[in-house]
Amino acid sequence: MALIWNETGVVENDRFASGEETPFIDLDAALTAAEEGANSLAVLVAPGDDVSRLAPVLDRVALVALDFPAFSDGRGFSHATLLRDRLGYEGEIRAVGDVQLDQVPFMLRVGITSVETRHEPTARRLTEMRLPGVGLHYQPSARRSQRPSETSYSWRRRTADAG
Amino acid sequence: MYRYDEFDHEFVAGRVAQFRDQVSRRLKGDISEDAFKPLRLMNGVYLQLHAYMLRVAIPYGTLSSRQMRMLAHIARRYDRGYGHFTTRQNIQYNWPKLGEIPDILEELASVEMHAIQTSGNCIRNVTADHFAGASADEVADPRPYAEILRQWSSLHPEFSFLPRKFKIAVTAAEHDRAAIQVHDIGLQLKKNEKGELGFAVWIGGGQGRTPMIAKKIKDFLPEADLLSYVTAIVRVYNLHGRRDNKFKARIKILVHETGTEELTAQIDAEWAQLRGGELTLPAEDIASIQAYFAPPPLTDRPEGWAQLAAWKRTDADFSAWVAQNVAPHRHPDYGMVTISLKPIGGIPGDASAEQMEVIADLAEELGFDEIRVTHEQNLVLPHVALADLEPLYRALAANGLATANAGLITDIIACPGLDYCALANARSIPVAQEISERFGDAARQREIGDLKIKISGCINACGHHHVGHIGILGVEKKGAELYQITLGGSADENTSIGEIIGRGFEPERITDAVETIVETYLAGRSNDKEDFLAYYRRVGSAPFKDALYGEKSQAA
Ligand code: SF4
């Protein structure tokens, strides 16, 4: 069973949880559906997709699922950054696919808000709310974070709620 | 040099704790070796033929004595008493135990060091000219920018799972000692007509299976835009670099397949969106990082000139060492000293714990507490008064560290090869040792002059064979080791990729082949000012082919 998690904890009965059938439609289908007037779209963005194509229909999107087909495939991190920083999308972004614990802190930083994982040890640690990240950062990112102090270097950040 | 502030200390401590947690999950079986691999790689831990290997970052090759002593301590306590300095200005330990690596990282953190991003498909340790801050020919010290890039790239959330590894090098002189044209991004610090600092930007250089020389994509990038522009490059690469074939995944292939012009347009389009944003570097931030690299207080020491002349007259070995291993410093009373880690017949780049400690002491006493690691696997004391060269030399000589061969034929670069590396086709170290022995005679080396031999044990080219004046590549043919020779490579401002000269040589014939090449050059050069590379560029490969294969090809 896939676990859905966001920063408040495990999400039960999520309407976009992957079950027998996928709850998502692909990018092309989403563009067509939006043209036909559909709303509340759940779009699956594949690693090779050009996420900027979603720009004109983002107000009709309820959730963007970014596919991470393999641990080593980091294109989704750029997609999330572009969705937030460039396209101004404010809705939910979910990481799906081969999501593993050690990537989750990076995912949160680039603006991903929820993850779906089937990896049991990952699910366990997320359930326990024990994330492995470092709360200090040497670069700004899509997720809002503070300058550690007014005098610190311009590129440094501290996660607001870093525990 | 750069000193950690509270933020850096807290960050590195956090990273050590994170890695400790990852190791304990691995040892418990919560993470498979497959899933652990990218995690350990992002912290410099490789699985080699016989053991784990830990690669420790030495950012832009700069070390203090205290840090060098820690490297010695780690060699002694966790390894077999040795460390191996690499072509990327790092140090490798070949025998640490996985369970102890978090402890090693904690010890490193106590002297402001780490192993972050010394491997894996992320932005690697940023390298720079090893003479930075001391040489007369630079426009400014390149290391502050390398430090800014180091910080910005550390655990970058968007760029930690790139298609392949990503290497950045920075230089600040026309004469390129940082090999920027064989890096994913090469930055040359320069001044524009108004006297402002900025960078010429090169991308897509690299070695490995498909060696390529970088393309210049920007003639002058203002220093304030460094991070926004590099972000644009890496973002375009992250999104569009090939992920279907590991051998085609470096940015050089993207440049090649997309075309320099088109890719530059994509990068510029991305940059147009980023430029002027929060990645812009404020002048006061650049200035405060630069302040860390302020030159040491070099007082005038003119007495050195006369002393040096006197010592040189009485000691030929000392004189030869000064001529070969000491380069002119920006301050006329000082020199930049290369400490060769290439003793005749030794393992290139290896240093014992004792040697590291001796060097640390000498740097503290005579060298303003600064040590550099070169990409040629030697060490440098960048600021030594001429008046102190003689005692320095005596102490180095007493510890096997005064080989007078910087830049000569026995100053060989070699990768670890089949003695350690799981990917190797052939041994590298024994070949280097045999060539070093063959040409060990000091007078003969000096007669041959500048000649860079570089040896890799497989096509991954960690030994930089493509850019060796003489490159040697280990290949495997029908289960036997064979060495292929390339000639005419170079990694300076006139970068060139060496050309394969012909069929390979068996292990027992490779040193003879090198000797034949050297003899051909000596017999053919117009005078002793024409070095090997200049000769090769003038005459091409024909005389070498004749000498190596002539009789046989006629007989056939
Ligand atoms: S060149 Fe090949 S053999 Fe040598 S260290 Fe690199 S991967 Fe190993």
Short mmCIF file of all heavy atoms in Angstrom, two decimals, chain B residues 174-183 202 204-207 211-215 375 464 466-469 488-498 533 537:
data_model
loop_
_atom_site.label_atom_id
_atom_site.label_comp_id
_atom_site.label_asym_id
_atom_site.label_seq_id
_atom_site.Cartn_x
_atom_site.Cartn_y
_atom_site.Cartn_z
N GLU B 174 46.03 34.04 -17.23
CA GLU B 174 46.01 33.63 -18.64
C GLU B 174 46.63 32.25 -18.77
O GLU B 174 46.14 31.41 -19.52
CB GLU B 174 46.80 34.63 -19.50
CG GLU B 174 46.04 35.90 -19.83
CD GLU B 174 44.79 35.65 -20.69
OE1 GLU B 174 44.81 34.70 -21.50
OE2 GLU B 174 43.81 36.40 -20.53
N HIS B 175 47.73 32.04 -18.04
CA HIS B 175 48.34 30.72 -18.08
C HIS B 175 47.54 29.82 -17.15
O HIS B 175 47.55 29.98 -15.94
CB HIS B 175 49.80 30.80 -17.64
CG HIS B 175 50.45 29.44 -17.57
ND1 HIS B 175 50.32 28.50 -18.56
CD2 HIS B 175 51.20 28.85 -16.60
CE1 HIS B 175 50.97 27.40 -18.22
NE2 HIS B 175 51.50 27.58 -17.03
N ASP B 176 46.83 28.88 -17.73
CA ASP B 176 45.85 28.10 -16.98
C ASP B 176 46.50 26.89 -16.30
O ASP B 176 46.89 25.94 -16.94
CB ASP B 176 44.75 27.63 -17.94
CG ASP B 176 43.74 26.75 -17.25
OD1 ASP B 176 43.73 26.70 -16.01
OD2 ASP B 176 42.96 26.09 -17.96
N ARG B 177 46.57 26.97 -14.97
CA ARG B 177 47.10 25.84 -14.19
C ARG B 177 45.98 24.99 -13.59
O ARG B 177 46.24 24.08 -12.81
CB ARG B 177 48.02 26.37 -13.07
CG ARG B 177 49.36 26.89 -13.57
CD ARG B 177 50.11 27.62 -12.45
NE ARG B 177 49.43 28.85 -12.07
CZ ARG B 177 49.81 30.08 -12.43
NH1 ARG B 177 50.88 30.23 -13.17
NH2 ARG B 177 49.13 31.14 -12.06
N ALA B 178 44.74 25.33 -13.88
CA ALA B 178 43.62 24.61 -13.28
C ALA B 178 42.88 23.74 -14.31
O ALA B 178 41.87 23.14 -13.99
CB ALA B 178 42.65 25.59 -12.63
N ALA B 179 43.40 23.68 -15.52
CA ALA B 179 42.83 22.81 -16.56
C ALA B 179 41.35 23.08 -16.79
O ALA B 179 40.54 22.17 -16.94
CB ALA B 179 43.06 21.34 -16.21
N ILE B 180 40.98 24.36 -16.85
CA ILE B 180 39.54 24.68 -16.91
C ILE B 180 38.87 24.18 -18.18
O ILE B 180 37.67 23.97 -18.19
CB ILE B 180 39.26 26.20 -16.75
CG1 ILE B 180 39.87 27.01 -17.89
CG2 ILE B 180 39.76 26.72 -15.40
CD1 ILE B 180 39.36 28.45 -17.94
N GLN B 181 39.65 23.96 -19.23
CA GLN B 181 39.01 23.55 -20.49
C GLN B 181 38.68 22.07 -20.55
O GLN B 181 38.16 21.58 -21.55
CB GLN B 181 39.88 23.95 -21.68
CG GLN B 181 39.91 25.45 -21.88
CD GLN B 181 40.73 25.83 -23.10
OE1 GLN B 181 40.59 25.26 -24.17
NE2 GLN B 181 41.60 26.81 -22.94
N VAL B 182 39.00 21.34 -19.50
CA VAL B 182 38.54 19.95 -19.45
C VAL B 182 37.62 19.75 -18.24
O VAL B 182 37.55 18.67 -17.66
CB VAL B 182 39.71 18.93 -19.44
CG1 VAL B 182 40.36 18.87 -20.81
CG2 VAL B 182 40.74 19.27 -18.38
N HIS B 183 36.88 20.80 -17.90
CA HIS B 183 35.88 20.71 -16.83
C HIS B 183 34.47 20.95 -17.39
O HIS B 183 34.32 21.51 -18.46
CB HIS B 183 36.20 21.71 -15.72
CG HIS B 183 37.29 21.25 -14.81
ND1 HIS B 183 38.61 21.29 -15.17
CD2 HIS B 183 37.24 20.69 -13.58
CE1 HIS B 183 39.35 20.79 -14.17
NE2 HIS B 183 38.53 20.41 -13.20
N TRP B 202 33.41 28.77 -19.67
CA TRP B 202 33.55 27.67 -20.63
C TRP B 202 32.69 26.52 -20.13
O TRP B 202 32.60 26.28 -18.93
CB TRP B 202 35.01 27.18 -20.68
CG TRP B 202 36.02 28.26 -20.94
CD1 TRP B 202 36.37 29.29 -20.11
CD2 TRP B 202 36.81 28.41 -22.12
NE1 TRP B 202 37.33 30.07 -20.70
CE2 TRP B 202 37.63 29.55 -21.92
CE3 TRP B 202 36.93 27.68 -23.31
CZ2 TRP B 202 38.53 29.98 -22.88
CZ3 TRP B 202 37.83 28.10 -24.25
CH2 TRP B 202 38.62 29.25 -24.06
N GLY B 204 31.41 22.24 -20.97
CA GLY B 204 31.42 21.02 -21.79
C GLY B 204 32.77 20.42 -22.06
O GLY B 204 32.92 19.62 -22.97
N GLY B 205 33.77 20.78 -21.28
CA GLY B 205 35.04 20.08 -21.40
C GLY B 205 34.99 18.81 -20.58
O GLY B 205 34.19 18.70 -19.65
N GLY B 206 35.81 17.84 -20.94
CA GLY B 206 35.83 16.63 -20.13
C GLY B 206 36.74 15.60 -20.75
O GLY B 206 37.18 15.74 -21.88
N GLN B 207 37.01 14.60 -19.95
CA GLN B 207 37.92 13.55 -20.42
C GLN B 207 37.12 12.27 -20.62
O GLN B 207 36.16 12.25 -21.35
CB GLN B 207 39.10 13.45 -19.47
CG GLN B 207 39.77 14.83 -19.35
CD GLN B 207 41.10 14.80 -18.66
OE1 GLN B 207 41.96 14.00 -18.99
NE2 GLN B 207 41.29 15.66 -17.68
N PRO B 211 36.71 12.41 -24.92
CA PRO B 211 37.34 13.66 -24.45
C PRO B 211 36.91 14.84 -25.30
O PRO B 211 36.79 14.71 -26.52
CB PRO B 211 38.83 13.38 -24.62
CG PRO B 211 38.91 12.32 -25.67
CD PRO B 211 37.68 11.49 -25.51
N MET B 212 36.62 15.95 -24.66
CA MET B 212 36.23 17.14 -25.40
C MET B 212 36.81 18.38 -24.73
O MET B 212 36.88 18.46 -23.52
CB MET B 212 34.72 17.27 -25.44
CG MET B 212 34.08 16.24 -26.36
SD MET B 212 32.38 16.65 -26.67
CE MET B 212 31.91 15.16 -27.57
N ILE B 213 37.16 19.35 -25.56
CA ILE B 213 37.65 20.63 -25.06
C ILE B 213 36.44 21.54 -24.88
O ILE B 213 35.55 21.57 -25.73
CB ILE B 213 38.67 21.22 -26.04
CG1 ILE B 213 39.87 20.27 -26.16
CG2 ILE B 213 39.12 22.61 -25.59
CD1 ILE B 213 40.87 20.64 -27.22
N ALA B 214 36.42 22.27 -23.78
CA ALA B 214 35.27 23.11 -23.47
C ALA B 214 35.08 24.22 -24.50
O ALA B 214 36.02 24.63 -25.17
CB ALA B 214 35.45 23.72 -22.09
N LYS B 215 33.82 24.67 -24.59
CA LYS B 215 33.50 25.79 -25.49
C LYS B 215 33.27 27.04 -24.64
O LYS B 215 32.60 26.97 -23.61
CB LYS B 215 32.20 25.49 -26.25
CG LYS B 215 32.17 24.12 -26.90
CD LYS B 215 33.01 24.10 -28.17
CE LYS B 215 32.89 22.78 -28.93
NZ LYS B 215 33.34 21.60 -28.16
N HIS B 375 46.61 19.59 -8.80
CA HIS B 375 45.95 18.53 -9.55
C HIS B 375 46.98 17.61 -10.18
O HIS B 375 46.65 16.61 -10.81
CB HIS B 375 44.95 19.09 -10.56
CG HIS B 375 45.56 19.75 -11.75
ND1 HIS B 375 45.91 19.07 -12.87
CD2 HIS B 375 45.92 21.04 -11.98
CE1 HIS B 375 46.45 19.90 -13.74
NE2 HIS B 375 46.47 21.10 -13.22
N HIS B 464 43.99 11.39 -16.31
CA HIS B 464 44.09 12.49 -17.28
C HIS B 464 44.99 12.18 -18.47
O HIS B 464 45.66 13.06 -19.00
CB HIS B 464 44.60 13.78 -16.60
CG HIS B 464 43.70 14.27 -15.51
ND1 HIS B 464 43.96 15.39 -14.77
CD2 HIS B 464 42.52 13.79 -15.04
CE1 HIS B 464 43.00 15.58 -13.88
NE2 HIS B 464 42.11 14.61 -14.02
N HIS B 466 44.45 11.73 -21.55
CA HIS B 466 44.16 12.48 -22.78
C HIS B 466 44.94 13.78 -22.86
O HIS B 466 45.17 14.29 -23.95
CB HIS B 466 42.67 12.86 -22.85
CG HIS B 466 41.74 11.72 -23.00
ND1 HIS B 466 41.79 10.87 -24.07
CD2 HIS B 466 40.70 11.29 -22.23
CE1 HIS B 466 40.82 9.97 -23.96
NE2 HIS B 466 40.15 10.20 -22.85
N VAL B 467 45.26 14.37 -21.73
CA VAL B 467 45.95 15.66 -21.75
C VAL B 467 47.40 15.54 -21.30
O VAL B 467 48.03 16.54 -20.96
CB VAL B 467 45.18 16.74 -20.93
CG1 VAL B 467 43.86 17.08 -21.62
CG2 VAL B 467 44.93 16.28 -19.51
N GLY B 468 47.93 14.33 -21.31
CA GLY B 468 49.36 14.16 -21.05
C GLY B 468 50.13 14.44 -22.33
O GLY B 468 49.67 14.13 -23.42
N HIS B 469 51.32 15.02 -22.18
CA HIS B 469 52.18 15.14 -23.37
C HIS B 469 52.40 13.73 -23.91
O HIS B 469 52.32 13.48 -25.11
CB HIS B 469 53.52 15.78 -23.01
CG HIS B 469 53.38 17.16 -22.44
ND1 HIS B 469 54.41 17.81 -21.80
CD2 HIS B 469 52.33 18.02 -22.40
CE1 HIS B 469 54.00 19.01 -21.40
NE2 HIS B 469 52.74 19.16 -21.75
N GLY B 488 50.84 14.38 -27.41
CA GLY B 488 50.48 15.76 -27.76
C GLY B 488 49.32 16.34 -26.98
O GLY B 488 48.81 17.40 -27.32
N GLY B 489 48.88 15.68 -25.92
CA GLY B 489 47.81 16.26 -25.10
C GLY B 489 48.35 17.36 -24.20
O GLY B 489 49.54 17.42 -23.89
N SER B 490 47.44 18.24 -23.78
CA SER B 490 47.84 19.32 -22.88
C SER B 490 46.58 19.92 -22.25
O SER B 490 45.52 19.94 -22.87
CB SER B 490 48.58 20.40 -23.68
OG SER B 490 48.77 21.53 -22.86
N ALA B 491 46.70 20.38 -21.00
CA ALA B 491 45.51 20.91 -20.30
C ALA B 491 45.70 22.34 -19.84
O ALA B 491 45.14 22.75 -18.86
CB ALA B 491 45.17 20.01 -19.12
N ASP B 492 46.50 23.11 -20.56
CA ASP B 492 46.68 24.50 -20.15
C ASP B 492 45.82 25.40 -21.04
O ASP B 492 44.79 24.97 -21.56
CB ASP B 492 48.16 24.89 -20.21
CG ASP B 492 48.74 24.66 -21.59
OD1 ASP B 492 47.97 24.40 -22.53
OD2 ASP B 492 49.98 24.75 -21.73
N GLU B 493 46.23 26.67 -21.21
CA GLU B 493 45.40 27.58 -22.02
C GLU B 493 45.38 27.16 -23.49
O GLU B 493 44.54 27.62 -24.25
CB GLU B 493 45.87 29.02 -21.84
CG GLU B 493 47.29 29.33 -22.28
CD GLU B 493 48.35 28.88 -21.26
OE1 GLU B 493 47.99 28.15 -20.32
OE2 GLU B 493 49.51 29.26 -21.42
N ASN B 494 46.31 26.29 -23.90
CA ASN B 494 46.26 25.74 -25.26
C ASN B 494 45.92 24.26 -25.19
O ASN B 494 46.66 23.41 -25.64
CB ASN B 494 47.62 25.92 -25.95
CG ASN B 494 47.99 27.37 -26.08
OD1 ASN B 494 47.20 28.17 -26.55
ND2 ASN B 494 49.19 27.73 -25.63
N THR B 495 44.76 23.99 -24.62
CA THR B 495 44.39 22.60 -24.39
C THR B 495 44.29 21.81 -25.69
O THR B 495 43.77 22.30 -26.68
CB THR B 495 43.06 22.54 -23.62
OG1 THR B 495 43.28 23.09 -22.33
CG2 THR B 495 42.56 21.12 -23.48
N SER B 496 44.81 20.60 -25.65
CA SER B 496 44.64 19.69 -26.78
C SER B 496 44.48 18.27 -26.25
O SER B 496 44.94 17.96 -25.15
CB SER B 496 45.86 19.76 -27.72
OG SER B 496 47.05 19.55 -26.97
N ILE B 497 43.79 17.45 -27.02
CA ILE B 497 43.59 16.05 -26.65
C ILE B 497 44.64 15.24 -27.40
O ILE B 497 44.83 15.41 -28.60
CB ILE B 497 42.18 15.58 -27.09
CG1 ILE B 497 41.09 16.48 -26.49
CG2 ILE B 497 41.96 14.12 -26.73
CD1 ILE B 497 40.94 16.43 -25.00
N GLY B 498 45.33 14.39 -26.68
CA GLY B 498 46.39 13.60 -27.29
C GLY B 498 45.87 12.66 -28.37
O GLY B 498 44.71 12.25 -28.35
N LEU B 533 56.38 19.07 -26.08
CA LEU B 533 55.08 19.41 -26.66
C LEU B 533 55.26 20.30 -27.90
O LEU B 533 54.61 20.10 -28.93
CB LEU B 533 54.20 20.11 -25.62
CG LEU B 533 52.75 20.36 -26.04
CD1 LEU B 533 52.02 19.06 -26.33
CD2 LEU B 533 52.01 21.15 -24.96
N ARG B 537 54.12 19.39 -31.62
CA ARG B 537 53.21 20.25 -32.38
C ARG B 537 53.85 20.68 -33.70
O ARG B 537 53.16 20.95 -34.67
CB ARG B 537 52.79 21.45 -31.54
CG ARG B 537 51.77 21.04 -30.49
CD ARG B 537 51.31 22.18 -29.60
NE ARG B 537 50.22 21.72 -28.73
CZ ARG B 537 49.79 22.34 -27.63
NH1 ARG B 537 50.37 23.47 -27.27
NH2 ARG B 537 48.81 21.85 -26.92
#
